[in-house]
Amino acid sequence: MAGGTTQVIDAELAQVRQRLVGIEGVKLEASVRELVRVSVYVTEQKQVTIHLMFPENYPHQPIVVELKSKSLSFKLLDGLCKMCDEEARKNVGQRQVVLMVMFVKTFLQENPLCVCNEEISYIKRNLVSEDDKVILKQKTSQIVIKVKQGSYFMNLRVTVPNDYPVHQVQCEIEDCNFPPLLKTFFQAQAIEISRQCVQPPLKKKPKDPPFQPKPSLRPVCEFLIRDCCKRYPKEACQLCKDNVLSEDPEAPTREPKKRLERVYCGHLFHSGCLNTYMKTPPFIGGKKCPGCGCQIFHEKWKVSPELAEARWAHKQARQRELAEVVDFLE
Ligand SMILES: [Zn+2]
Ligand SMILES: [Zn+2]
């Protein structure tokens, strides 16, 4: 039989049945001497089933707690279980069932970031360096991330909504010293990446499985930290192989030909290098990025191969004319 004196346990079970009725999100599923099972629901992603077992000598021993959840990570449950154990130890001698249930419920309510616990671990392990900072703000369900690369930095504030991952994270670049052109692109693309995690594509392929919203924290951070902040300070021009961003963020180059251009694939170029490349044949099949082979899309050079060809021919003809004039003058 279960430990503890049966009278003590029966009295507590009677109290548990009374006290847990009418608490929002709490459902008593079983309450017998061998096991009390309670489900706690805060949101779809924040739900836990608590198993409580009375040990020998209860309540002079801490109650035994096991946690199960379909949505929360194993690591988080393991940590929470240890916290429950500590809490139970503090309350030996008293009735512990209701205390434990309320402890778990309060934890889920006060730690909204628990739903992205695994993603946060991933960010800390794989995306940031030792000097960078990842600060969790459970009260406001936000994560502040401060990352650096060389003399460049980026400070992010990510808000995790209550119904995450059904809705996407809101990610804001609070501060950074990247050129405005890049910052605008970083921010817009981050919004787009997070949107794509939760909204089905407009063109659905018939064989695709039904769309499911995906967690957006990790993809957004991979993009902003790994693909932007850590990457661009070191990025070379795909044509001349010189660095594109200035060594000193406060002193960007004034030379027009050395100004930064970013193309669709994300590679960087010097304005002058890209201009020459885009206006030089071959044009057939469109101009490709030498770095990755992607077609180059850019506002400034939005011309068809035919038009580019015509312009090239015109320029060549003009140069021949000039040369002839020069010949004539000699
Ligand atoms: Zn260049
Ligand atoms: Zn490229």
Side-chain angles (χ1 to χ4, degrees):
M1 65 147 261
T5 70
T6 49
Q7 272 171 328
V8 166
I9 291 171
D10 286 346
E12 181 164 349
L13 288 175
Q15 183 219 31
V16 166
R17 285 175 210 131
Q18 239 177 18
R19 295 262 317 265
L20 291 186
V21 170
I23 299 179
E24 205 194 334
V26 174
K27 196 170 142 216
L28 182 61
E29 292 176 349
S31 57
V32 292
R33 286 177 194 158
E34 289 73 26
L35 174 77
V36 178
R37 191 171 67 235
V38 184
S39 68
V40 174
Y41 179 101
V42 173
T43 66
E44 195 61 30
Q45 298 305 316
K46 285 171 247 174
Q47 40 178 321
V48 170
T49 303
I50 314 171
H51 289 198
L52 298 133
M53 284 145 290
F54 300 104
E56 235 23 90
N57 290 327
Y58 182 81
H60 303 291
Q61 288 290 321
I63 199 160
V64 179
V65 180
E66 272 174 25
L67 302 175
K68 292 189 172 139
S69 173
K70 274 181 276 178
S71 50
L72 297 168
S73 76
F74 176 76
K75 210 178 130 204
L76 182 99
L77 290 178
D78 194 42
L80 181 54
C81 205
K82 286 192 180 109
M83 286 168 70
C84 286
D85 195 45
E86 265 173 50
E87 190 62 19
R89 275 172 208 285
K90 282 187 217 157
N91 289 287
V92 288
Q94 302 178 49
R95 289 174 170 174
Q96 296 163 31
V97 174
V98 174
L99 274 175
M100 278 304 111
V101 173
M102 294 320 286
F103 180 77
V104 171
K105 184 171 188 237
T106 307
F107 176 89
L108 294 179
Q109 284 171 325
E110 291 184 351
N111 294 278
L113 298 175
C114 67
V115 293
C116 41
N117 182 58
E118 279 197 327
E119 289 179 283
I120 293 168
S121 308
Y122 176 86
I123 293 165
K124 286 183 177 170
R125 253 194 343 262
N126 300 295
L127 298 181
V128 300
S129 341
E130 259 180 34
D131 302 341
D132 300 331
K133 289 193 177 76
V134 179
I135 306 153
L136 306 187
K137 309 247 182 202
Q138 296 283 2
K139 267 197 187 128
T140 50
S141 194
Q142 289 178 328
I143 309 162
V144 172
I145 305 174
K146 300 182 174 188
V147 278
K148 276 186 264 179
Q149 178 66 49
S151 45
Y152 286 84
F153 74 90
M154 185 189 275
N155 296 343
L156 307 171
R157 183 177 293 268
V158 190
T159 308
V160 179
N162 195 36
D163 58 356
Y164 185 81
V166 176
H167 278 93
Q168 72 270 46
V169 293
Q170 304 292 321
C171 186
E172 196 197 335
I173 302 174
E174 283 203 313
D175 197 8
C176 79
N177 58 357
F178 283 86
L181 179 95
L182 282 184
K183 187 191 168 182
T184 308
F185 159 72
F186 293 167
Q187 182 69 73
Q189 189 65 14
I191 291 171
E192 180 57 16
I193 289 171
S194 57
R195 190 194 64 75
Q196 283 175 6
C197 287
V198 302
Q199 283 177 18
L202 287 175
K203 280 186 203 160
K204 206 175 157 284
K205 293 184 194 109
K207 279 183 187 164
D208 281 354
F211 182 82
Q212 284 282 334
K214 287 187 291 289
S216 46
L217 176 62
R218 178 176 156 174
V220 166
C221 288
E222 276 177 334
F223 170 71
L224 284 173
I225 301 171
R226 184 190 65 198
D227 303 342
C228 294
C229 186
K230 300 286 180 185
R231 167 183 170 181
Y232 284 118
K234 296 182 284 189
E235 183 94 349
C237 168
Q238 290 304 310
L239 293 161
C240 73
K241 304 295 172 199
D242 274 353
N243 230 46
V244 178
L245 287 194
S246 153
E247 193 81 18
D248 178 3
E250 304 305 320
T253 178
R254 298 209 171 156
E255 213 185 311
K257 286 189 171 182
K258 289 282 173 190
R259 271 211 295 264
L260 145 95
E261 295 289 357
R262 195 196 62 83
V263 296
Y264 181 75
C265 59
H267 279 123
L268 298 187
F269 295 84
H270 293 113
S271 185
C273 298
L274 186 59
N275 196 42
T276 308
Y277 180 65
M278 294 303 280
K279 291 183 174 169
T280 309
F283 300 110
I284 302 304
K287 299 300 278 186
K288 303 235 162 48
C289 169
C292 63
C294 278
Q295 189 96 28
I296 293 181
F297 292 107
H298 194 293
E299 280 300 308
K300 284 187 203 164
W301 294 277
K302 237 174 154 182
V303 294
S304 64
E306 294 75 21
L307 182 57
E309 197 80 59
R311 280 185 186 164
W312 169 257
H314 180 75
K315 198 175 152 201
Q316 293 299 302
R318 178 104 189 94
Q319 264 164 10
R320 267 198 309 277
E321 274 170 33
L322 284 174
E324 279 160 23
V325 172
V326 174
D327 286 346
F328 176 76
L329 287 175
E330 272 170 358

